[in-house]
């Protein structure tokens, strides 16, 4: 021992799960060509992943013997390709604004395959939903009255307005979504009195968090409400459990090691994050497995699983996942345009902004390590070159990554940073053309044969969503 204290450990890494389809694109040379062609950051999308995630969720319903329907929550990513996949695969789409409804219709989804959610909806949205036969989640008594007024105005000319009543979660009474027990009672009475002007099809809820047991408990309560509504002469044959199916970004060991090691010294300007500030990047039960867990759970006060309860009562289950359908379905690419050294780490500046990596919107950090792709190829190996990542705006707070990422090589101007698995909410939840910077385009990548990205150099096209 020489009396010199050991050097403190470097910043921890958080590798994403291995993804051969994305790695093939990183190794293809295509990304540097696209960066040059578009002159800025971009997102690439993998539609075959969406198809696979949809198939897995449907398989979970089929295995449980449950009559169900999957709706894509369009707010998770507004690219047109996902809606096109829904139209091609017979899936529904969850929309919450007039523009989303128009986009879904314009890309081939039928009105009856839409569910309209959101809090207080505009008259324009309620009217369009009714005209196209969409299923509308009613959030309040006032909204129900507006829907009923419109339905009576159209009575005899068009189909009845289809609706679900949204229940306020008893365990989350502070939620701004849904109606409490007394309001639900009043809403049911108004639906009965409305007669043929409306078609009351069941109940829904908006539940925060990713735990499966609370979702199953509340779903069981909605089944009981359906039975009560049927006794009053209403149809009430389905319930919606919303989204909230977690995505598993990284291995358990890597996630727990990261949480145990991370501290302010590992972040630029000693930025401080508590473990609870982060999305749970490791989820032991995620995607289709999370849906299975909901179906297998015995709701509070019950004697049989939710799946058995749904089968026994002839109740259909609707789910509205966004992130879970987009798992590994896209990544975000930024070009390094500046490197500045600080004490023990570098500050990178890229050609985009943190507004295109939207976890920063939540006062948090998008943690999966970005890949470093040089003109010579993807840099591999152990991380020994820590660097944070700043955006191109004149704001001190514009950092895509405050963490000093341990890169396997020293980044240089012209290298690309590829943030993995960003299709779910990261790409455009908070985008802005601040400084007149262009919004990153979305590039749809497919193999030459049209399936995945294997079997030769991938081909690409621009997504068909209109430019904003």
């Amino acid at each position: 021992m020489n009396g010199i204290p050991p050097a403190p450990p470097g910043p921890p890494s958080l590798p994403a799960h291995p993804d051969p389809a994305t790695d093939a694109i990183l190794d293809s040379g295509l990304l540097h060509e696209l960066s040059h062609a578009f002159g800025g950051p971009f997102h690439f999308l993998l539609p075959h992943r969406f198809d696979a995630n949809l198939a897995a969720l449907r398989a979970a319903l089929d295995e449980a013997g449950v009559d169900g329907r999957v709706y894509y929550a369009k707010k998770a990513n507004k690219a047109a390709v996902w809606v096109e996949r829904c139209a091609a695969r017979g899936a529904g789409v969850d929309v919450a604004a007039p523009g989303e409804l128009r986009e879904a219709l314009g890309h081939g989804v039928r009105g009856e395959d839409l569910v309209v959610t959101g809090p207080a909806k505009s008259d324009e949205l309620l009217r369009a939903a009714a005209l196209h036969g969409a299923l509308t989640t009613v959030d309040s008594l006032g909204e129900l009255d507006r829907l009923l007024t419109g339905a009576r105005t159209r009575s005899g000319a068009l189909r009845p307005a289809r609706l679900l009543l949204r229940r306020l979660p008893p365990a989350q009474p502070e939620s701004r979504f849904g109606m409490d027990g007394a309001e639900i009672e009043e809403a049911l009475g108004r639906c009965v009195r409305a007669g043929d002007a409306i078609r009351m099809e069941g109940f829904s809820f908006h539940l925060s968090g990713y735990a499966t047991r609370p979702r199953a408990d509340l779903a069981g309560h909605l089944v009981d409400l359906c039975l009560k509504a049927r006794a009053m002469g209403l149809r009430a044959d389905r319930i919606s459990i919303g989204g909230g199916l977690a995505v598993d970004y990284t291995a358990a060991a890597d996630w727990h090691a990261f949480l145990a090691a991370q501290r302010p010294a590992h972040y630029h300007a000693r930025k401080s994050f508590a473990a609870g500030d982060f999305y749970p990047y490791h989820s032991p039960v995620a995607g289709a497995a999370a849906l299975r867990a909901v179906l297998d759970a015995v709701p509070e006060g019950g004697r049989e699983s939710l799946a058995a309860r749904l089968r026994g009562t002839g109740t259909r289950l609707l789910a509205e996942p966004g992130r879970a359908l987009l798992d590994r379905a896209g990544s975000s690419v930024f070009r390094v345009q500046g490197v500045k050294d600080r004490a023990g780490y570098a500050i990178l500046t890229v050609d985009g902004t943190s507004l295109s990596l939207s976890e920063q919107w939540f006062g948090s950090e998008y943690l999966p390590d970005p890949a470093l792709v040089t003109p010579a190829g993807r840099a591999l190996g152990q991380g020994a070159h820590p660097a944070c990542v700043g955006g191109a705006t004149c704001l001190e707070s514009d950092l895509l990554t405050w963490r000093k990422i341990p890169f396997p090589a020293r980044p240089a101007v012209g290298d690309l940073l590829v943030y993995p698995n960003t299709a779910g909410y990261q790409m455009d939840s908070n985008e802005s053309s601040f400084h007149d910077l262009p919004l990153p385009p979305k590039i749809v990548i497919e193999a030459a044969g049209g399936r995945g990205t294997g079997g030769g150099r991938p081909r690409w096209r621009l997504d068909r969503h209109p430019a904003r």
Side-chain angles (χ1 to χ4, degrees):
M1 300 292 291
N2 56 15
I4 300 175
S13 177
L14 190 65
H17 283 301
D19 183 2
T22 296
D23 288 347
I25 293 170
L26 268 57
D27 294 334
S28 69
L30 177 64
L31 297 185
H32 272 89
E33 293 179 16
L34 292 173
S35 177
H36 175 74
F38 292 105
F42 61 94
H43 310 292
F44 67 81
L45 313 177
L46 305 177
H48 74 283
R49 291 288 200 194
F50 184 93
D51 293 348
N53 293 331
L54 174 61
L57 291 168
R58 285 173 162 171
L61 292 169
D62 291 343
E63 291 163 10
V66 169
D67 179 23
R69 185 77 188 276
V70 177
Y71 293 78
Y72 166 57
K74 193 177 185 303
K75 63 181 178 290
N77 189 305
K78 66 187 180 188
V81 68
W82 316 126
V83 179
E84 293 167 356
R85 302 317 298 157
C86 288
R89 296 292 186 267
V93 177
D94 163 21
V95 300
E100 288 187 335
L101 187 147
R102 289 192 295 269
E103 281 293 305
L105 293 172
H107 289 284
V109 179
R110 301 178 303 175
E112 56 263 39
D113 294 329
L114 300 177
V115 60
V116 180
T117 58
K121 302 165 197 64
S122 67
D123 287 339
E124 176 191 4
L125 181 56
L126 291 175
R127 180 172 59 253
L131 287 171
H132 288 283
L135 182 60
T136 300
T137 296
V138 173
D139 195 70
S140 68
L141 290 172
E143 189 167 86
L144 177 60
D145 284 343
R146 288 192 292 123
L147 187 65
L148 292 175
T149 297
R152 292 189 185 101
T153 301
R154 295 186 301 273
S155 181
L158 296 170
R159 70 189 91 183
R162 302 171 57 215
L163 64 94
L164 303 173
L165 298 177
R166 180 145 62 196
R167 177 69 165 96
L168 175 72
Q172 294 180 359
E174 73 285 353
S175 172
R176 66 189 183 98
F177 296 98
M179 294 177 274
D180 63 23
E183 291 169 324
I184 288 289
E185 291 278 353
E186 175 61 26
L188 287 172
R190 294 184 191 183
C191 288
V192 170
R193 292 190 292 273
D196 293 338
I198 61 102
R199 195 167 79 191
M200 189 278 180
E201 297 190 9
F203 298 88
S204 71
F205 58 76
H206 180 100
L207 190 63
S208 298
Y210 302 98
T212 56
R213 181 54 189 266
R215 203 165 294 275
D217 288 343
L218 192 46
H221 173 58
L222 295 196
V223 174
D224 292 338
L225 287 177
C226 281
L227 297 179
K228 180 176 183 177
R230 291 175 200 175
M232 299 171 67
L234 298 170
R235 177 172 175 169
D237 63 356
R238 65 200 63 195
I239 64 170
S240 170
I241 62 171
L245 303 178
V247 163
D248 186 39
Y249 291 83
T250 190
D254 292 327
W255 177 235
H256 296 307
F258 174 87
L259 293 179
Q262 67 102 22
R263 60 184 189 273
H266 295 148
Y267 297 84
H268 174 67
R270 296 186 65 83
K271 182 82 169 178
S272 179
F273 291 100
D277 293 339
F278 301 129
Y279 181 88
Y281 286 100
H282 170 68
S283 294
V285 180
L291 180 56
R292 288 188 182 90
V294 172
L295 293 169
D296 290 343
V298 177
E300 184 178 14
R303 297 182 178 180
E304 58 185 356
S305 70
L306 176 62
R309 182 80 168 138
L310 293 166
R311 293 193 302 266
T313 58
T315 304
R316 194 176 205 200
L317 183 80
L318 313 182
E320 298 149 15
R323 193 187 297 254
L325 281 169
L326 297 169
D327 184 22
R328 308 191 201 190
S331 298
S332 299
V333 183
F334 301 88
R335 180 182 179 272
V336 177
Q337 62 184 29
V339 181
K340 180 183 294 185
D341 288 318
R342 284 289 189 261
Y345 70 103
I347 299 176
L348 311 181
T349 298
V350 297
D351 58 359
T353 77
S354 59
L355 299 172
S356 296
L357 199 65
S358 295
E359 198 66 31
Q360 303 290 1
W361 188 18
F362 301 100
S364 185
E365 183 97 326
Y366 188 73
L367 292 178
D369 293 343
L372 176 65
V373 183
T374 75
R378 181 162 47 114
L380 301 172
Q382 298 297 314
H385 301 271
C388 66
V389 184
T393 73
C394 297
L395 297 174
E396 194 72 60
S397 60
D398 183 17
L399 271 89
L400 286 77
T401 306
W402 291 81
R403 180 168 60 97
K404 301 168 186 176
I405 302 162
F407 286 104
R410 176 178 167 79
V413 172
D415 291 347
L416 302 180
L417 303 186
V418 183
Y419 285 84
N421 205 1
T422 56
Y425 287 104
Q426 295 304 316
M427 292 183 178
D428 49 28
S429 298
N430 199 34
E431 67 180 9
S432 168
S433 55
F434 185 54
H435 276 318
D436 285 334
L437 292 169
L439 299 181
K442 293 189 176 73
I443 311 302
V444 179
I445 296 184
E446 299 172 322
R451 292 186 179 183
T453 57
R457 184 175 173 83
R459 62 182 184 179
W460 65 273
R461 65 172 174 83
L462 282 170
D463 180 68
R464 297 186 180 92
H465 190 277
R468 291 290 187 253

